[in-house]
């Protein structure tokens, strides 16, 4: 696909629903009591992987284009699947459901695509093994034999919402409270568990008998998908856009915060709440950016936005330095390698990677070139924006955006 430089953006653009919150709504409604209407869910490939796994475990869901009606089977109502559970490309599906399956009295086998087969799983098998589950290994395909779980105290320096959520789900079934000690990262599981009546004290989860989700959950739109247009509108002179109903949970706001420090004009209005999650409308006007320095502790709040932040920094004045970005090596692709190889094709001499530090020399000339997306949705969208703000780009594969933003290139 060829993408060309474009002029000012004006008006409103509809952003797809939040991927992380949709996963959690499907899983928690599935193990809750009663029916839940999940409105404005994300029908991207990753969330559909979660839905199809839950269906194979006995959860019934009626799908329409805007709404899911999920009939919960209760915490102890899941059935042994007759097939292997395929998590596709989705680390969230796999790691969260590994926690849930660790607590079931049957065995479950998971598989996934070639990218997911390479991703690290020890980060979840380790705590879940301490709780009492057994695993056939640390790579896909992998079989979990669940059972009676112990409550544990688990301390880690890795800030991972997937790991945290996996342990929290297992902890619902343990014989005693489970305490997690982890640096702050997205807290959607905690918020939804609380909304469902689970007892959670900080990151200590108490065993539960039942979950009662609200009858209707409205999923906010995804700040991680809005991020691409926030950056493009900032970079294109004369732009002024409004993105509505965007999830603005503080644990996800690292990109807008970083851009504001760089000089961007981003305004939130109409702040409200849905199922414990804050949402708002976001207005973005074009602005000149200057370089930024970010340290490791700031990374979890913008982990999925690092590729698009690197695009913004490549247009900024000065050299930006982002430290502690090593987790990017184990995402849907090795994103540090993808950023280094492909961004430099569009803007020679811009990106240097030194260990887990990303150094971005802003303001260098942009040119049209052919780039590879590595089959990674966030790399594809970031390269698309770099082309639109710069001098165009040709991409090898764009279907990968179906993971989180099926109509990105139509937009
Ligand atoms: C996610 C957590 C993050 C993030 C991923 C979605 C989630 O992964 O990168 O896209 O929904 O819990 P890690 O837990 O590996 O940091």
């Amino acid at each position: 696909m060829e993408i060309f430089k474009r002029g000012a953006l004006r008006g409103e653009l509809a952003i797809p629903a939040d991927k992380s919150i949709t996963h959690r709504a499907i899983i928690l409604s599935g193990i809750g009591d009663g029916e839940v209407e999940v409105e404005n869910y994300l029908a991207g490939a990753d969330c559909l992987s979660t839905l199809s796994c839950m269906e194979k475990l006995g959860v019934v869901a009626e799908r329409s284009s805007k709404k899911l009606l999920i009939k919960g089977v209760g915490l102890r109502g899941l059935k042994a699947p007759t097939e292997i559970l395929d998590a596709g490309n989705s680390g969230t599906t796999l790691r969260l459901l590994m926690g849930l399956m660790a607590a079931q009295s049957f065995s479950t086998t998971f598989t996934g695509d070639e990218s997911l087969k390479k991703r690290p799983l020890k980060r979840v098998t380790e705590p879940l093994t301490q709780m009492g589950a057994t695993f056939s290994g640390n790579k896909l395909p992998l079989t979990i034999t669940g059972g009676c779980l112990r409550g544990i105290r688990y301390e880690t320096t890795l800030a991972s919402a997937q790991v945290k959520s996996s342990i929290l789900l297992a902890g619902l079934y343990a014989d005693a409270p489970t305490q997690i000690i982890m640096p702050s990262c997205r807290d959607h599981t905690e918020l939804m568990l609380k909304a469902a009546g689970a007892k959670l004290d900080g990151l200590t989860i108490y065993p539960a008998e039942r979950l009662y989700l609200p009858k209707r959950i409205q999923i906010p739109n995804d700040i991680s998908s809005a991020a691409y247009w926030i950056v493009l509108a900032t970079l294109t002179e004369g732009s002024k856009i409004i993105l509505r109903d965007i999830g603005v949970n503080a644990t996800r706001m690292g990109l807008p915060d970083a851009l504001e420090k760089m000089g961007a004009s981003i305004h939130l209005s109409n702040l409200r709440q849905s199922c414990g999650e804050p949402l708002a409308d976001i207005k973005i006007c074009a602005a000149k950016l200057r370089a930024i320095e970010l340290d490791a502790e700031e990374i979890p709040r913008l982990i999925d936005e690092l590729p698009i932040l690197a695009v913004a920094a490549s247009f900024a004045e000065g050299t930006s330095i982002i430290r502690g970005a090593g987790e990017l090596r184990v995402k849907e692709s090795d994103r540090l390698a993808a950023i280094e190889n492909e961004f430099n094709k569009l803007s020679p001499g811009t990106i240097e990677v030194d260990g887990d530090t990303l150094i971005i020399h802003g303001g260098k000339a942009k040119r049209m070139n052919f780039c590879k997306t590595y089959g990674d949705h966030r790399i594809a969208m970031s390269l698309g924006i770099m082309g639109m703000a710069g001098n165009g780009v040709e991409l090898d594969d764009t279907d990968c955006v179906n993971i989180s933003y099926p109509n990105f290139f139509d937009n």
Side-chain angles (χ1 to χ4, degrees), residues 9-47:
L9 271 69
R10 289 201 159 252
E12 292 192 15
L13 186 65
I15 300 299
D18 191 281
K19 181 158 81 70
S20 287
I21 303 176
T22 301
H23 281 297
R24 285 143 173 96
I26 295 170
I27 296 172
L28 292 180
S29 305
I31 56 172
D33 279 33
E35 288 186 2
V36 180
E37 266 184 17
V38 182
E39 285 183 12
N40 188 46
Y41 73 103
L42 175 66
D46 271 12
C47 297

Side-chain angles (χ1 to χ4, degrees), residues 43-348:
D46 271 12
C47 297
L48 295 180
S49 292
T50 292
L51 186 59
S52 128
C53 290
M54 292 303 285
E55 285 173 333
K56 286 183 182 155
L57 291 161
V59 173
V60 174
E62 284 170 22
R63 316 180 188 191
S64 67
S65 61
K66 272 277 159 202
K67 212 189 272 184
L68 280 175
L69 179 67
I70 300 187
K71 300 176 183 176
V73 296
L75 270 176
R76 279 156 188 89
L78 294 175
K79 294 199 174 59
T82 52
E83 290 168 66
I84 291 178
L85 300 188
D86 188 349
N89 189 247
S90 174
T92 308
T93 305
L94 177 63
R95 296 194 178 113
L96 269 58
L97 290 184
M98 281 171 69
L100 188 57
M101 292 304 102
Q104 308 305 314
S105 56
F106 48 78
S107 293
T108 317
T109 302
F110 282 101
T111 192
D113 72 3
E114 289 314 306
S115 150
L116 197 57
K117 284 182 179 155
K118 292 192 199 122
R119 296 182 66 185
L121 298 180
K122 195 156 180 266
R123 51 185 65 193
V124 282
T125 58
E126 189 178 88
L128 296 173
T129 302
Q130 285 181 22
M131 293 179 84
T134 29
F135 296 88
S136 59
N138 284 311
K139 289 274 163 181
L140 291 181
L142 164 149
T143 300
I144 307 179
T145 308
C148 302
L149 299 185
R150 291 180 284 278
I152 60 166
R153 177 183 184 279
Y154 191 72
E155 183 161 4
T156 174
T157 53
L158 180 73
S160 164
Q162 293 178 357
V163 172
K164 176 172 63 172
S165 305
S166 188
I167 304 172
L168 288 173
L169 287 170
L172 287 171
Y173 296 83
D175 63 355
T178 292
Q179 186 189 8
I180 306 166
I181 297 154
M182 175 184 276
S184 165
C185 54
R186 67 189 71 190
D187 62 357
H188 306 302
T189 307
E190 297 92 297
L191 292 177
M192 208 176 282
L193 277 171
K194 279 188 187 152
K199 187 172 174 207
L200 197 61
D201 181 7
L203 280 185
T204 299
I205 179 87
Y206 288 76
E209 287 302 320
R210 291 174 187 284
L211 294 179
Y212 296 104
L213 277 293
K215 292 261 159 288
R216 189 179 147 264
I217 300 177
Q218 173 90 24
I219 310 279
N221 295 327
D222 200 326
I223 185 70
S224 297
S225 298
Y228 301 98
W229 309 112
I230 296 178
V231 169
L232 186 60
T234 298
L235 296 177
T236 351
E237 216 183 308
S239 291
K240 184 176 179 183
I241 60 167
I242 296 185
L243 308 174
R244 298 214 186 266
D245 307 325
I246 308 295
V248 292
N249 180 314
T251 62
R252 298 280 300 280
M253 289 299 278
L255 177 90
D257 289 353
L259 287 174
E260 281 195 306
K261 280 191 202 144
M262 295 169 82
S265 159
I266 299 171
H267 293 286
L268 268 55
S269 62
N270 198 12
L271 202 66
R272 56 216 182 273
Q273 288 229 342
S274 168
C275 196
E277 290 283 351
L279 55 156
D281 300 336
I282 306 185
K283 184 171 101 185
I284 307 104
C285 297
K288 290 260 172 283
L289 297 182
R290 49 187 179 270
I292 189 168
E293 282 200 31
L294 287 179
D295 286 326
E297 351 28 291
E298 296 168 83
I299 300 298
R301 293 178 69 241
L302 45 63
I303 182 71
D304 292 339
E305 289 69 72
L306 283 170
I308 191 63
L309 178 65
V311 171
S314 81
F315 287 88
E317 195 189 322
T319 296
S320 294
I321 302 177
I322 301 171
R323 299 185 187 86
E327 269 294 297
L328 289 195
R329 296 248 180 242
V330 291
K331 291 293 176 190
E332 287 84 327
S333 70
D334 177 344
R335 289 185 178 157
L336 280 183
I339 291 171
E340 185 176 26
N341 298 339
E342 306 306 315
F343 288 21
N344 277 334
K345 289 183 188 164
L346 298 182
S347 185

